[in-house]
Amino acid sequence: MFVLRALLLTTLIWLVQAADNKIGYGGTFVQGHEGGLEGTVVVENSETLVIKDYVLADAGAPALYWWGSITDDLVSGFRISNEQVVEISDGGDLRIPLDTGKTPNDFSTVGLWCERFGVNFGQASLTADGDAASVKFTSDSASDSEVEGDAPSRTRPGAKKSNNIKPIFADEYLTARVYFFCVLGLFLLESLAHLPLYLSSHFNDGLPNSLPSRHSGLYLFFHMLFTLPSPMAKISNMAPIDLLRLTALIGLNILWGWNRNEYTSDFQLYGWLTLANGGLTLLMAARTNLFAIVARIPSTTLLFYHRWLGRITAIHASIHAIFLMISYVKSEQLANVVRTPRIQVGLMAWISLLLILITSLAFVRRRLFETFYYLHALFLLFVIGAFIHATRAAEFIVPGLALWGIDRLIRFTYNFRRIEVVAVTQHPGNLTKFRITGPRSHGPGQIAWIQIPAVSLINWHPFTIVSVPSSSSEAMVAIRGLGGYTKKVQSQAAEFGNKEMITVGSSSCLAPLKMRVDGPYGVGHLQWGRYPVIVIVAGGIGITPGITIACHIVDLARRMRGKVDVGQGWHVHILWVLKTAQYTTWFQEELAQLTAIAADPSIPMTFDLRIHVTGDKGSSLDVEKSNFEAGALTAEPGAHAMGPRSHIYSGRPDLKAYFQALRQQYLGLDAAVSACGPRSLIRSVRTAAVADQGHRDNRGAYYVEEEVFEF
């Protein structure tokens, strides 16, 4: 009987103590500032709280601690645990030790509080039934409107109050998603801008529009505006249309990246924008790019977006990382924070972006191309870091990663193609031509990545795939020894001289020089077959895309053999600028073949070739004073073997006079212009192409596609 009484007394005492310490009390967290706090808190005993199903999306704020308050306002509360919160959680239970001398009797509200900036990340009210009876909370200076959902207007301690401009969306994740789709909208506009050209080519049955154009004055004005070279050549060579694209990108980042930066956790927005821009950069990275193949966005445009989106990604990542670290340093929490795996992975991803950015700068890329090329593989570290560091990175990263994976699979199948080097020939000026079977360009100006194992087993370099007029099964790669890699190619090819491949029975002998080809790739700006006049202006080795364009027109003209008159066909004009007459032998055979094909009266095509030699005796270095109709230069034997409509002149060409003569010859007709060579030549071509346009009887427009051999 005594034992029974003692047991009842002990139970009664335990129940009284439990009631005093609120054991079993609990509540569900109501999220405060965007931090992703979720779960249900329960009083386990007088020394411990337990949060069930604990979720915290962001633990980046400095001095983040568990607080309690006797009221519904944590501002008037106190710290209940000395363990700083530095790690995120996606589930599970968390035990909070009450090691500050406080017990559950001392508070009725539990919350996560940033002591550095006074920000409430979420709170729960403790009730006897454990119900989610948590109430809406206010902060130190929150007004009634803020309680209803408006963004609070607090500032950092000691800082001046900010202006009244607020972000469009308070949810940073939603902001990044909207930005992502806005940029995709830009890509859609790029695609729609080229749609009329493809439709007109289809409805013309493959023939050019040989009727005089009647473009309006307003159209010609904007055409001139976007064709002229950059007005800030000393600062940037960016064309006006590219300046417009860059302005749109920067504008979208400013619009959706606007942030008052009143709290350290507001720097999350730049983390989300890092993910959005990084995902968009990946979408533009694949060589076999669906945006180019399906949407027909030119490859150079995709490369422009890829470069600038990558730079913007690094900028947002730097803002996100640097300003958070500054706040951690001020709160003396940096050492603790950097020990967490999530932060370490984030720093790894950031450093990877910075290394890619530095090596992609033009002056680094041109001197250390292999370093630039292979360090781009660090994007995989960025992808891994994004998945670990952020909670919802997949929807931004996976689309681009999937396209990249498809591209890699396609490129892997290229390894099983049979590539044969039919001939290797060398020419003056350190130029080597490789004639190959296997790959052939599917459109003018495409490039392929070439690897020659005898030179290097790991280095791949991009070169233009040149069509061969006399063969549909062969292509050509011309490599000039200008840099370290190309000079190695030159010396390696010298060992084989001008050897021809021989065929024994139905099989070919092994090539004297093995070659691997990745490609060809690329979609151009212009539909060359749509234009009746084709003008190709090239400097030096820049003639390679021009020969491919001319071969493309030859293929179109052959299909129309005997069906239309020459006047309704194509008129191809090539102006080739060379330093010395010796270099005319580089493509003498191909140009002679083009001239011979165009001489066939049944083929609706004319072909005119003019070569200007600037470095030999008698040349003039002054473009404005050189005489376009100068007498033919006496060149080396065979230099005139390119046909009756091929002429060689001494001195630099007067491009303005050249284009004026073409406009007079083809009154009112539109023209497609290819400019490839040094930057100065391209600027001159762009200026000359729009000079004197818009006269009453001559309202044709000259559309310029440029290529500078810079990667």
Side-chain angles (χ1 to χ4, degrees), residues 315-335:
I315 290 172
H316 280 305
S318 298
I319 294 174
H320 175 67
I322 292 173
F323 282 92
L324 278 178
M325 285 192 289
I326 290 174
S327 63
Y328 292 144
V329 170
K330 290 181 178 178
S331 60
E332 300 180 354
Q333 300 297 324
L334 182 62

Side-chain angles (χ1 to χ4, degrees), residues 274-313:
T274 298
L275 293 177
N277 281 288
L280 291 166
T281 305
L282 275 176
L283 282 174
M284 303 295 104
R287 294 179 188 173
T288 309
N289 199 298
L290 292 181
F291 284 97
I293 297 172
V294 178
R296 308 308 295 177
I297 300 176
S299 300
T300 52
T301 301
L302 294 177
L303 180 60
F304 176 87
Y305 280 117
H306 173 74
R307 286 176 174 174
W308 282 101
L309 284 168
R311 291 162 183 166
I312 292 171
T313 301

Side-chain angles (χ1 to χ4, degrees), residues 540-557:
I541 192 64
I543 190 64
T544 51
I547 292 176
T548 304
I549 293 170
C551 289
H552 173 69
I553 299 300
V554 164
D555 290 340
L556 294 177

